[in-house]
Amino acid sequence: MKNKYRILKIVVTVIILGLLLSFSLKRFGHQQITDNKISVKMNEKTPVYFVDEKDIREIVKKENPSGKVGDLNIPALEKRINTLPAVDSANVYLNLNGKLNLDIKQRVPVFRLNKDGKDFYVDEKGIEFPISRTYSHPCMLVTGNVQPDEYEKLAELVGKIDKDDFSKKFFIGISKNKDSYNLLTSEGNYRVEIGDLDNIDFKVRGFKTFVEKYLVYQDPQKYNMVSVKYQNQIVTTLNPYFKENDSLLKAGKLELARAPSPAAMAKKTETKPKVTEAKKTNSTSIKPKENTKPKTHSKEAKKKEKKSPAPAQSKPKPKPKVKIE
């Protein structure tokens, strides 16, 4: 019974709203939609100005040339506004007093991508849209061959950088070289290599530890690259144009010169002594038996042998006699 009463209430409410709407359309159908009766609201949290209120009013006039409320096709107008590249969503409706309301939410760029010589924006949903001639939104610049399936992860990375004070201070851009991402820094001449877009929090924490415990005591011009893409280790590359690195680079070159070349190592492995196999004797050969007795030596004799020098030429020992049975 309760469900029946609920359904009945819903039906009655819809009928009443329909009657009120039809009554208002009949009442205000012949009235003109003046500028005072058009209300345009932008509902995005971050203020952006890709779409101007004047542009929306012009679209309303084009979609309704007569300017009458009764001739206005609200679904068609809403669809037309949603086709604008910088519009995320649009809601168009009429009040009972004949006032036209347009609630518009614009796309907010997370980063600006420079790809194949073209610039465009990408929002948090990973949707790209063209830049505007009249408005430029401040956001992080990304360069390189970024694929569309990487947009959302990249937008997540930029969002984390914007929320963290340390990251926001250091990182001013992102570049992609082949399959590896690099964070461009505001201090020094180095870049931070992060590899792929996985485990971003861990990689940024590793770089933060490196900065706080080591880099603050060094000249930022000393390094050319700081890599945090490897697990549990940080790899740095020295800047060859920094004068203080000359001694370190020379020492590294000397160590490389002393190290054996791969060709020499290959030659050594090739010139190994060959093992000759002993020929097997027939099982029918007669083995000689030696009649030798165990020799006993006293301790004094051993001492004399140690003290006495070896003779210049030793005589050949007599061969043991062999009995053949």
Side-chain angles (χ1 to χ4, degrees):
M1 294 293 291
K2 290 182 179 180
N3 292 332
K4 290 182 179 179
Y5 282 121
R6 287 178 182 175
I7 294 170
L8 183 61
K9 287 180 181 179
I10 292 170
V11 171
V12 172
T13 304
V14 171
I15 293 171
I16 292 171
L17 289 174
L19 291 173
L20 290 172
L21 182 61
S22 62
F23 174 76
S24 62
L25 287 174
K26 286 180 180 179
R27 182 180 178 183
F28 301 105
H30 298 288
Q31 291 185 5
Q32 295 289 325
I33 302 175
T34 60
D35 290 339
N36 295 331
K37 290 186 177 181
I38 298 175
S39 174
V40 180
K41 293 181 181 179
M42 303 296 179
N43 297 326
E44 61 275 352
K45 295 179 181 179
T46 304
V48 289
Y49 307 98
F50 295 108
V51 179
D52 192 28
E53 186 175 340
K54 292 180 180 180
D55 300 332
I56 300 299
R57 292 179 182 273
E58 287 179 2
I59 292 172
V60 173
K61 290 178 181 179
K62 288 180 180 179
E63 290 294 321
N64 187 21
S66 65
K68 294 181 180 180
V69 175
D71 296 336
L72 180 63
N73 189 346
I74 292 177
L77 176 60
E78 189 173 279
K79 186 177 180 180
R80 172 70 181 86
I81 296 173
N82 278 317
T83 57
L84 296 175
V87 173
D88 183 32
S89 62
N91 186 21
V92 182
Y93 58 95
L94 274 170
N95 285 343
L96 295 177
N97 58 2
K99 189 175 182 179
L100 180 64
N101 295 275
L102 300 100
D103 296 338
I104 298 171
K105 183 180 178 182
Q106 298 183 67
R107 300 190 189 278
V108 180
V110 178
F111 60 89
R112 180 172 177 169
L113 179 60
N114 181 282
K115 180 181 176 182
D116 298 330
K118 297 180 181 179
D119 287 335
F120 51 88
Y121 292 113
V122 178
D123 67 354
E124 61 181 3
K125 297 178 181 178
I127 299 173
E128 57 184 49
F129 58 99
I131 60 175
S132 174
R133 295 180 180 178
T134 58
Y135 173 70
S136 178
H137 187 72
C139 57
M140 186 168 289
L141 178 64
V142 180
T143 59
N145 188 21
V146 182
Q147 300 301 318
D149 57 351
E150 298 175 312
Y151 287 168
E152 287 191 35
K153 278 191 174 182
L154 196 56
E156 185 180 352
L157 169 61
V158 176
K160 289 179 180 180
I161 291 174
D162 289 338
K163 291 177 183 178
D164 184 41
D165 294 334
F166 171 83
S167 301
K168 195 173 182 179
K169 176 185 174 183
F170 268 88
F171 306 135
I172 58 173
I174 302 173
S175 67
K176 184 183 180 184
N177 185 12
K178 295 181 181 179
D179 294 330
S180 182
Y181 282 91
N182 301 294
L183 301 178
L184 308 179
T185 57
S186 58
E187 297 183 3
N189 191 35
Y190 63 91
R191 54 191 171 88
V192 180
E193 186 184 29
I194 61 172
D196 54 25
L197 296 173
D198 297 328
N199 301 323
I200 294 298
D201 293 332
F202 179 76
K203 294 173 182 178
V204 173
R205 263 189 274 116
F207 175 71
K208 185 177 181 180
T209 305
F210 174 75
V211 170
E212 292 176 346
K213 293 187 177 182
Y214 188 77
L215 194 60
V216 290
Y217 307 106
Q218 303 289 327
D219 192 331
Q221 299 291 336
K222 182 178 180 180
Y223 299 103
N224 192 26
M225 185 185 70
V226 178
S227 179
V228 292
K229 71 176 183 178
Y230 305 103
Q231 191 173 4
N232 298 327
Q233 62 178 337
I234 296 173
V235 181
T236 59
T237 305
L238 295 176
N239 182 8
Y241 302 104
F242 190 59
K243 291 183 179 180
E244 294 183 7
N245 291 336
D246 291 344
S247 58
L248 295 173
L249 292 171
K250 286 180 181 178
K253 288 179 181 178
L254 288 173
E255 289 183 2
L256 289 173
R258 290 174 184 173
S261 62
M265 294 292 290
K267 285 182 179 180
K268 285 185 179 180
T269 54
E270 287 177 1
T271 57
K272 286 184 178 179
K274 295 182 179 179
V275 180
T276 56
E277 295 182 357
K279 293 182 179 179
K280 293 182 180 180
T281 55
N282 295 328
S283 58
T284 56
S285 61
I286 301 169
K287 295 182 181 179
K289 292 184 179 181
E290 297 181 358
N291 292 332
T292 56
K293 294 181 180 180
K295 297 180 181 180
T296 57
H297 298 281
S298 61
K299 292 182 180 180
E300 294 179 358
K302 287 182 180 180
K303 288 180 182 179
K304 287 180 182 180
E305 287 178 1
K306 288 181 181 179
K307 290 180 182 180
S308 60
Q313 293 181 352
S314 58
K315 295 180 180 180
K317 293 181 180 181
K319 295 181 180 179
K321 294 180 181 180
V322 179
K323 289 183 181 181
I324 301 172
E325 297 179 355

